Amino acid sequence: MIETDRLRLRKYTMEDFDVLYEILSDPETMQHYPMPYNEEWTKKWITWNLDNYEKYGFGLWAIELKETGEFIGDCGITIQNIDGEQLPEIGYHINKKHWRKGYAKEAARACRDWAFNNTDYDTLYSYMKYTNVGSYSTALANGMKKIKEYPDPHNEISYAYAITRDEWEKVIG
Ligand SMILES: CC(C)(COP(=O)(O)OP(=O)(O)OC[C@H]1O[C@@H](n2cnc3c(N)ncnc32)[C@H](O)[C@@H]1OP(=O)(O)O)[C@@H](O)C(=O)NCCC(=O)NCCS
């Protein structure tokens, strides 16, 4: 479990299905993905993360508001193909009811700190479709810099952002 001022990050369970489906099936939320998710893909999202916890010791974690216990989205680390390399990536998905309240930034920073404190990775990444302003703004707010733009069959063009361990040490002082 990771805690921040307002958030608690915990492992997914199958009981998160309904609220996760509300997020992943929403066309506006998924506008930068090839298409919104159906029920089957949403179930696979949870089982993929349960497998990631076993395999890597991390994955996307469910985000709850500490004050109410409400499940509002996810954030965490997964291994992603970024321009042909398998790299540790910080991802985030927030229920649109809660956009622009700083929750993605708060969760992403906590996941970044967790990864540098608990893994040997020397660089962490975030990548997104070039149109996904919310996503790359969150990467910037997480102390990352844009390192490349590259053609991506799923995204037309993807942007990759990164922060090194040395840069992180300066950010956290
Ligand atoms: C991307 C996403 C997670 C951001 O969540 P959020 O909780 O609204 O983000 P925050 O409020 O923490 O904002 C983080 C930073 O991004 C900026 N930001 C967020 N959304 C933005 C938008 N649509 N346009 C411009 N800036 C935006 C905020 O101003 C903030 O920057 P600042 O701290 O420098 O002021 C959310 O929009 C989302 O769930 N999108 C759909 C799923 C998705 O595409 N995920 C990324 C996949 S690559």
Side-chain angles (χ1 to χ4, degrees):
M1 290 238 296
I2 297 175
E3 285 207 21
T4 67
D5 286 350
R6 296 177 295 169
L7 309 174
R8 185 179 300 116
L9 277 64
R10 57 153 177 86
K11 289 181 179 173
Y12 265 118
T13 74
M14 279 322 232
E15 289 177 13
D16 296 314
F17 174 82
D18 288 342
V19 189
L20 180 63
Y21 183 57
E22 185 183 315
I23 299 171
L24 298 183
S25 64
D26 174 61
E28 186 187 4
T29 303
M30 300 303 275
Q31 64 187 292
H32 306 289
Y33 282 71
M35 63 189 77
Y37 274 35
N38 61 24
E39 294 195 4
E40 187 193 340
W41 297 345
T42 304
K43 275 187 199 128
K44 282 192 181 152
W45 185 273
I46 298 179
T47 53
W48 168 58
N49 282 297
L50 300 181
D51 291 347
N52 283 335
Y53 305 148
E54 290 294 314
K55 189 167 171 191
Y56 300 107
F58 54 74
L60 293 173
W61 293 297
I63 304 174
E64 288 178 355
L65 297 182
K66 276 180 14 185
E67 201 172 315
T68 59
E70 183 186 354
F71 164 52
I72 62 156
D74 66 22
C75 183
I77 306 127
T78 59
I79 302 299
Q80 295 285 339
N81 179 343
I82 300 179
D83 200 18
E85 290 184 89
Q86 301 296 309
L87 297 170
E89 200 247 0
I90 298 180
Y92 18 75
H93 310 84
I94 302 286
N95 189 310
K96 70 180 179 187
K97 288 187 288 197
H98 293 291
W99 283 356
R100 306 304 292 266
K101 297 179 183 172
Y103 291 142
K105 174 165 83 174
E106 191 168 321
R109 288 179 173 177
C111 290
R112 174 200 69 189
D113 295 350
W114 184 93
F116 281 129
N117 284 320
N118 292 282
T119 74
D120 292 333
Y121 296 123
D122 280 322
T123 309
L124 298 170
Y125 300 82
S126 286
Y127 86 113
M128 68 293 296
K129 187 169 178 170
Y130 70 104
T131 49
N132 199 339
V133 186
S135 184
Y136 63 70
S137 300
T138 303
L140 286 169
N142 199 18
M144 294 187 172
K145 292 182 192 136
K146 190 170 169 193
I147 55 157
K148 68 160 92 168
E149 299 184 16
Y150 59 95
D152 183 327
H154 299 294
N155 286 343
E156 298 169 55
I157 303 285
S158 283
Y159 290 170
Y161 284 71
I163 182 168
T164 65
R165 189 174 281 278
D166 287 348
E167 289 165 348
W168 170 69
E169 278 164 2
K170 286 186 193 119
V171 168
I172 59 163

